[in-house]
Amino acid sequence: MDDAAPAPDIEQRVRDLDPWFHNLDLAGVRTAPDHFLGDYPNFKWQRFRHLVPERLDGLSVLDIGCNAGFYSLEMKRRGAERVVGIDSDPRYLAQARLAAEIAGLEIEFVQMSVYDVGALQERFDFVIFMGVLYHLRHPLLALDLLYETVVGGDMLFQSMLRGSAAVPEVAADYPFEETAIFEREGYPRMVFVEQNYSGDPTNWWIPNRAGMEAMLRSSGFCIVGATDDEVYLCRRGERGFMVEPPPPIETSRA
Ligand SMILES: C[S@@+](CC[C@H](N)C(=O)[O-])C[C@H]1O[C@@H](n2cnc3c(N)ncnc32)[C@H](O)[C@@H]1O
């Protein structure tokens, strides 16, 4: 047998888990050779990898919506001590486990929804939240939960964005009579997709750039790095709003 040819059992194990969304190279076997985006997500990663520290030695990483584990594998290769990948889809987690096994990397993959991250009871040094927000019916709830429970330091974030890429200054308040502001280019917006976008019924909410940045800030994240398209490096900061506890309810007994 040709030394460069992949082992037939790896080819079979990869094909048993078809179809793949991440096009990984597993010991010479391409997991999604006909991917509509080509070498995905590697070609995207090459555009923003400079946002992530070259070395993550001693750090813990949580990869939310990890899919077949491309970013989990990269973080482990950068020396992260502990990497946990979560995804709601067990089929993707089976792919991620196979990828880690073939790469010889120790990564924990757990079936869990982003809404349940509090159950991990751990803050991570580095959180990855890429390509998930627009698939959620409750995107702000997810960002608030991440801030409250698992983000201990930085968060690498990406969302699909549509509409204007302008990010104009927005005043802290406007009078009730001011309505033209809502038509202004770049006013923070998020559109709701009732049915499908790009053939995908799980594309629910798609913000414009100003809307995405406003939501990140509002949930307590400072934007410390960004690409010119959709990727942000965020840092846990102060919340942009305060939730006052309601006054105690007066009770009376008859
Ligand atoms: C577009 S893929 C992004 C995968 C990967 N993070 C990336 O950027 O290439 C979205 C992933 O999020 C997962 N996902 C969707 N809803 C989720 C939820 N509520 N909790 C956790 N994962 C979710 C999907 O199963 C899928 O693997």
Side-chain angles (χ1 to χ4, degrees):
M1 194 180 79
D2 179 354
D3 277 355
D9 64 316
I10 294 184
E11 177 82 46
Q12 191 53 52
R13 291 175 77 194
V14 167
R15 297 286 73 94
D16 285 348
L17 295 174
D18 273 341
W20 294 64
F21 178 61
H22 280 173
N23 188 10
L24 309 175
D25 180 344
L26 300 184
V29 179
R30 277 276 158 191
T31 56
D34 303 321
H35 200 292
F36 74 110
L37 293 170
D39 186 19
Y40 178 87
N42 185 48
F43 81 93
K44 285 204 162 192
W45 166 238
Q46 296 309 326
R47 294 213 301 259
F48 62 81
R49 55 180 297 160
H50 61 279
L51 293 176
V52 180
E54 271 304 319
R55 297 301 306 167
L56 295 167
D57 300 74
L59 301 185
S60 58
V61 175
L62 175 65
D63 182 5
I64 300 167
C66 61
N67 200 270
F70 178 90
Y71 295 110
S72 297
L73 296 164
E74 289 298 326
M75 297 307 108
K76 196 68 190 172
R77 289 191 183 110
R78 287 189 177 212
E81 184 171 313
R82 180 168 135 72
V83 178
V84 178
I86 67 164
D87 203 288
S88 51
D89 188 328
R91 205 174 49 81
Y92 286 139
L93 291 167
Q95 295 176 348
R97 289 187 187 108
L98 177 64
E101 181 197 317
I102 292 171
L105 296 171
E106 197 182 313
I107 300 172
E108 277 173 62
F109 289 106
V110 181
Q111 186 179 359
M112 178 179 277
S113 166
V114 63
Y115 300 120
D116 297 326
V117 285
L120 292 169
Q121 302 212 324
E122 178 176 349
R123 282 201 186 272
F124 291 77
D125 299 307
F126 197 73
V127 171
I128 299 178
F129 190 38
M130 304 275 295
V132 182
L133 185 103
Y134 51 92
H135 290 299
L136 303 176
R137 286 182 64 86
H138 309 288
L140 265 180
L141 173 62
L143 285 177
D144 286 352
L145 284 169
L146 297 190
Y147 178 90
E148 297 286 355
T149 63
V150 288
V151 176
D154 285 358
M155 177 173 80
L156 186 69
F157 175 83
Q158 184 265 344
S159 173
M160 169 161 52
L161 304 179
R162 290 292 182 267
S164 173
V167 184
E169 286 275 312
V170 176
D173 193 11
Y174 292 97
F176 186 73
E177 299 72 30
E178 168 61 76
T179 54
I181 186 72
F182 296 104
E183 309 301 328
R184 198 167 98 190
E185 198 206 338
Y187 189 81
R189 281 195 185 84
M190 186 157 69
V191 298
F192 175 65
V193 180
E194 184 183 358
Q195 297 195 34
N196 294 277
Y197 178 60
S198 188
D200 187 340
T202 75
N203 285 328
W204 290 111
W205 290 100
I206 312 175
N208 65 7
R209 190 172 181 96
M212 190 64 257
E213 295 182 7
M215 287 165 69
L216 286 166
R217 282 193 301 273
S218 173
S219 290
F221 297 104
C222 303
I223 297 168
V224 294
T227 60
D228 56 6
D229 49 11
E230 302 178 334
V231 180
Y232 292 94
L233 183 67
C234 305
R235 188 155 296 155
R236 204 185 138 75
E238 293 298 318
R239 265 277 160 85
F241 66 94
M242 290 285 293
V243 179
E244 296 289 342
I249 298 170
E250 300 247 342
T251 54
S252 57
R253 278 167 205 262

